[in-house]
Amino acid sequence: MKIENRQQVLAAVAITAIALLLLDRIVFTPMTKAWKARSEEITQLQDKIHKGRELIARANITRDHWEQMKTNALSAETAERVLINAFQRWSRESGASVSSIQPQWKPTEEDYATLECRANISGAVGSLAKFIYNIEKDAIALRIEELEITSKDDNGQNLSLGLQVSGLVFNPPAE
């Protein structure tokens, strides 16, 4: 091969290498990044579609649960009376004695509020366990917020239960 031909071949190879490098940097790399980004977006959208279909499938169950919650919620006019009567009923059923009940309104939003109630109950371990069980199984929409058990004697036979529950109230009373 002649030196002129060799220089032309080397120049052609160098120009081809530079062209391929530029083609890679300008075309292939951005296209690959765009392709990966689009693939990730498609995967995310498919996950959202799957979750949406699951929500649609559970719609009736969710509505039924919401209706049950609204049905079991306390009414604004009778909330305190219902809660006090419930504490008395749970006390009778369990054999525990309620020494104090202190209801207090906690407004949260325009269309609902919570009625928090602090109560002190005393009795044996079994009666307090039955009392807590009665709260949990009752149809009233209540949630136990705080629970504190202390012993009133050295043997631990007589216990004191400090309890705070909150009840859901739709359309709370005007203040």
Side-chain angles (χ1 to χ4, degrees), residues 44-106:
Q44 290 173 355
L45 291 172
Q46 286 174 337
D47 287 345
K48 287 181 181 180
I49 289 170
H50 179 70
K51 289 178 183 176
R53 286 184 177 149
E54 286 179 348
L55 281 173
I56 291 170
R58 291 191 319 255
N60 289 337
I61 295 169
T62 305
R63 280 191 196 103
D64 291 344
H65 190 287
W66 177 245
E67 289 301 321
Q68 181 183 10
M69 284 179 64
K70 287 189 340 188
T71 302
N72 293 337
L74 297 166
S75 72
E77 298 80 29
T78 62
E80 292 180 27
R81 184 169 31 100
V82 167
L83 201 53
I84 290 171
N85 289 341
F87 269 96
Q88 291 171 351
R89 183 178 71 249
W90 300 327
S91 175
R92 276 192 314 273
E93 292 172 359
S94 67
S97 64
V98 178
S99 58
S100 71
I101 301 172
Q102 299 166 341
Q104 181 179 3
W105 286 99
K106 295 287 182 181

Side-chain angles (χ1 to χ4, degrees), residues 3 11 39 55 58 69 72-74 88-89 108-109 129 135 138 143 149-150 153 156 162-164 173-174:
I3 293 182
S39 295
L55 281 173
R58 291 191 319 255
M69 284 179 64
N72 293 337
L74 297 166
Q88 291 171 351
R89 183 178 71 249
T108 54
E109 295 292 328
I135 293 173
D138 203 295
R143 181 170 106 180
I149 299 175
T150 55
D153 61 2
L163 182 70
Q164 181 175 334

Side-chain angles (χ1 to χ4, degrees), residues 145-160:
E145 299 285 343
E146 293 178 18
L147 183 115
E148 181 183 314
I149 299 175
T150 55
S151 176
K152 291 176 108 177
D153 61 2
D154 292 336
N155 298 333
Q157 298 299 316
N158 193 9
L159 301 174
S160 174

Side-chain angles (χ1 to χ4, degrees), residues 90 127-138 144:
W90 300 327
S127 63
L128 293 181
K130 178 74 174 162
F131 188 89
I132 294 169
Y133 174 77
N134 288 341
I135 293 173
E136 289 294 321
K137 75 170 183 145
D138 203 295
I144 296 176

Side-chain angles (χ1 to χ4, degrees), residues 32-49:
T32 305
K33 287 181 181 177
W35 186 307
K36 287 181 182 178
R38 228 173 249 132
S39 295
E40 290 175 7
E41 185 180 358
I42 288 170
T43 303
Q44 290 173 355
L45 291 172
Q46 286 174 337
D47 287 345
K48 287 181 181 180
I49 289 170

